[in-house]
Amino acid sequence: MRTPSWTEDELLLAGALVVRNGWRELRTNDRAVQELSELLRALPLHGPEARSLPSFRSPDSVSRKTTDFMTNHPHYTGKATRCGRPTLLMIDAFMQREAAMLQAAQTIEDLIASGDLHLLAPQPGEVDEDGVAAVEGRLLARWALSRERDPKLRKLKIGQALREGRPLRCEVCAFDFGRAYGALGDGYIEVHHVTPLHVSGTRTTRLEDLACLCANCHRMCHRSRPGESWRTPEALRDEMAKSAKTGPH
């Protein structure tokens, strides 16, 4: 069995290590490299066969990956090592949003340390249809989707809207399940975290952190594309407004 390719989560953690080191590579015997190797071997991303390989995310392989990050940075003047497009995308993401990416890496580290991520099963929709997960990490998408699908949390959010006299409809497109489907759709709506987990951290979800969305808008808020992997309802409304200006579809 070949060693599996690096996932977004693994690249995120390796990239954070390099950025914290001033965009310099780290050697195999560096304690930070050895600790990251141990963490990567524990992530719930690969099967037992992969994790049993001696070379799987070994300190040597982690050190080589830090070299990829350093030498493929645009300001590096030497010869770049060969690396895949996912690594290049992660380098660009750190350059564009360093603080957010470092926070995302810290959140994953905290969730792994607490043991919470090991309890979560993969969530439908955490990986896009083309197989590309959120640049901030598949594990954060798994955690966020799991929280959004918590039936108790959804019930509380719906109850808040009804108590405040607000119609139970999508906060982006105004779709109303009850109006469209009658009794079958009454009381139905999905919820979405307005602020991504890598920004909000691992705090307890508050009702004001959630927005009511229809299934289509919810999917579009989570749909990832290179360098972008999370949308607020406001950002999605902006996307729809820009699309409307181009004419009817």
Side-chain angles (χ1 to χ4, degrees), residues 129-188:
E129 61 270 14
D130 60 1
V132 178
V135 73
E136 286 89 354
R138 180 185 313 171
L139 293 175
L140 294 189
R142 181 178 301 178
W143 177 262
L145 286 166
S146 174
R147 293 199 303 177
E148 289 174 356
R149 288 166 179 153
D150 182 345
K152 292 183 293 185
L153 204 59
R154 181 176 155 273
K155 183 178 180 180
L156 289 171
K157 184 63 179 178
I158 290 174
Q160 180 191 55
L162 296 177
R163 285 195 309 272
E164 295 175 356
R166 291 184 282 116
L168 197 61
R169 62 190 182 194
C170 179
E171 294 180 28
V172 173
C173 71
F175 182 83
D176 185 319
F177 283 92
R179 180 171 296 179
Y181 300 108
L184 179 64
D186 279 343
Y188 183 80

Side-chain angles (χ1 to χ4, degrees), residues 1 5 30 50 56 80 88 103 112 116 118 129 134 139 167 175 180-182 201 206 217 221 223 225:
M1 179 180 179
S5 299
D30 192 295
F56 175 70
L88 297 177
Q103 180 60 54
I112 287 293
D116 289 342
H118 290 283
E129 61 270 14
L139 293 175
F175 182 83
Y181 300 108
R206 303 173 302 184
C217 288
C221 278
R223 191 165 193 259
R225 55 190 178 188

Side-chain angles (χ1 to χ4, degrees), residues 81-225:
T81 56
R82 295 182 62 183
C83 66
R85 185 166 177 266
T87 300
L88 297 177
L89 284 174
M90 194 61 68
I91 291 172
D92 183 65
F94 270 105
M95 292 176 60
Q96 297 295 326
R97 299 178 289 143
E98 180 178 304
M101 300 300 285
L102 289 174
Q103 180 60 54
Q106 186 62 56
T107 301
I108 288 179
E109 292 167 4
D110 292 344
L111 288 171
I112 287 293
S114 69
D116 289 342
L117 281 181
H118 290 283
L119 303 176
L120 289 176
Q123 297 288 312
E126 74 179 56
V127 179
D128 209 353
E129 61 270 14
D130 60 1
V132 178
V135 73
E136 286 89 354
R138 180 185 313 171
L139 293 175
L140 294 189
R142 181 178 301 178
W143 177 262
L145 286 166
S146 174
R147 293 199 303 177
E148 289 174 356
R149 288 166 179 153
D150 182 345
K152 292 183 293 185
L153 204 59
R154 181 176 155 273
K155 183 178 180 180
L156 289 171
K157 184 63 179 178
I158 290 174
Q160 180 191 55
L162 296 177
R163 285 195 309 272
E164 295 175 356
R166 291 184 282 116
L168 197 61
R169 62 190 182 194
C170 179
E171 294 180 28
V172 173
C173 71
F175 182 83
D176 185 319
F177 283 92
R179 180 171 296 179
Y181 300 108
L184 179 64
D186 279 343
Y188 183 80
I189 200 75
E190 297 186 6
V191 299
H192 174 65
H193 279 272
V194 175
T195 305
L197 182 60
H198 73 268
V199 174
S200 67
T202 58
R203 72 184 187 202
T204 301
T205 301
R206 303 173 302 184
L207 294 183
E208 53 264 37
D209 295 330
L210 303 172
C212 294
L213 300 181
C214 70
N216 284 346
C217 288
H218 193 191
R219 189 69 179 90
M220 290 299 99
C221 278
H222 276 291
R223 191 165 193 259
S224 62
R225 55 190 178 188

